[in-house]
């Protein structure tokens, strides 16, 4: 269910038609038994009830694995059998367990790296996809903060980067990544991340980054002045004992220690 749909039985992939694939995916996302009428209406919206019920029966029969469904009874409310393993269920279990897992442990976070069936456009999957996305982003951000506090900086940065890749405009994800860089002592990377977020917001919504992100950086007499300028040039962030130097070739920015006047490289 995460990243793409695959049904495996006895170690071999099971090919399914479109309707059967939609049915199995629906039951994987909704683990409770589903009444036929409501299930058919969700899977085939706009189709008359009798026709939708017929399509549901045909899709369930075409799966060809009776033991895939609970009790193997296609007349009863439909659900996947209890012994069917679903990666989405494993991922949700990890989300629930992460707050209790010590920062010294290394659970398999790869389960939180993908969305539910990206590219599927049905309304029922879109709702569940967004719900899972919010849950996994929050879990990644919180885990990153805990890893930073435990001194596991590289892992903290990796998790925060995963969150940013999933939702580039999400402020809390950017905050987690900036904080992870700062905890690691990588000020230049934190500044670059702030700049990237500022530019993203300006290009997409025409606004600046939230002022709450400014508070992440050490106090500087230059910082409030630079933040007041509009538009803020990329690489304008400066910190104590750091200054932005724009090279003569290509206009790239370097952070240089010391307080003297800047000169081109």
């Amino acid at each position: 269910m995460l990243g793409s749909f695959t049904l495996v039985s006895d170690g071999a992939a099971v090919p399914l038609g479109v309707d059967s694939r939609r049915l199995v995916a629906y039951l994987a996302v909704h683990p409770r038994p589903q009444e036929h009428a409501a299930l058919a209406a969700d899977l085939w919206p706009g189709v008359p009830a009798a026709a939708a019920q017929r399509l549901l029966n045909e899709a369930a029969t075409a799966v060809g694995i009776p033991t895939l469904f609970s009790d193997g009874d296609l007349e009863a409310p439909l659900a996947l059998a209890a012994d069917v393993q679903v990666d989405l269920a494993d991922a949700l279990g990890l989300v629930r367990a992460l707050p209790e897992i010590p920062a010294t442990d290394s659970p398999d976070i790869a389960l939180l790296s993908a969305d539910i069936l990206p590219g599927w456009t049905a309304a029922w999957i879109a709702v569940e996809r967004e719900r899972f996305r919010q849950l996994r982003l929050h879990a990644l951000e919180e885990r990153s903060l805990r890893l930073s506090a435990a001194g596991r900086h590289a892992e903290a940065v990796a998790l925060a980067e995963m969150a940013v890749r999933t939702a580039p405009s999400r402020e809390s994800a950017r905050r987690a990544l900036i904080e992870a860089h700062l905890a690691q002592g990588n000020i230049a990377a934190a500044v670059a991340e702030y700049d990237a977020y500022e530019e993203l917001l300006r290009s997409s919504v025409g606004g600046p980054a939230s002022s709450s992100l400014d508070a992440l950086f050490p106090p500087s007499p230059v910082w409030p002045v630079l933040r007041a300028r509009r538009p803020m040039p990329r690489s304008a962030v400066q910190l104590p004992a750091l200054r932005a130097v724009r090279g003569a070739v290509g206009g790239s920015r370097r952070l240089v220690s010391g307080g003297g006047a800047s000169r081109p490289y």
Side-chain angles (χ1 to χ4, degrees), residues 1 22 25 28 86 108 115 118 122 128 135 177 195 203 208 217 230 259:
M1 293 295 292
R22 291 165 62 199
V86 179
D108 184 8
D115 278 333
E128 296 302 324
L135 288 173
L177 182 51
D195 280 352
S203 62
F217 294 92
R230 293 293 183 272

Side-chain angles (χ1 to χ4, degrees), residues 5-29:
F5 178 89
T6 306
L7 174 62
V8 176
S9 178
D10 296 327
V14 178
L16 293 178
V18 173
D19 286 347
S20 294
R21 191 161 59 244
R22 291 165 62 199
L23 168 61
V24 174
Y26 189 101
L27 297 178
V29 171

Side-chain angles (χ1 to χ4, degrees), residues 198-234:
E198 180 93 349
E199 185 170 293
L200 173 65
L201 290 188
R202 185 178 295 112
S203 62
S204 60
V205 299
S210 168
S211 60
S212 67
L213 294 182
D214 299 352
L216 297 177
F217 294 92
S220 167
V222 181
W223 179 248
V225 176
L226 291 172
R227 287 291 292 124
R229 297 177 181 172
R230 293 293 183 272
M232 176 187 277
R234 185 170 175 78

Side-chain angles (χ1 to χ4, degrees), residues 144-161 176-177 179-186:
S144 176
L145 293 174
R146 292 182 64 198
L147 289 173
S148 286
R152 299 177 66 173
H153 301 300
E155 294 166 86
V157 168
L159 290 192
E161 286 177 338
L177 182 51
E179 289 185 342
H181 282 313
L182 291 175
Q184 193 177 30
N186 194 345

Side-chain angles (χ1 to χ4, degrees), residues 22 45 116-127 129:
R22 291 165 62 199
I116 299 174
L117 301 179
W120 288 38
T121 58
W124 61 266
I125 200 70
V127 171
R129 181 189 299 127

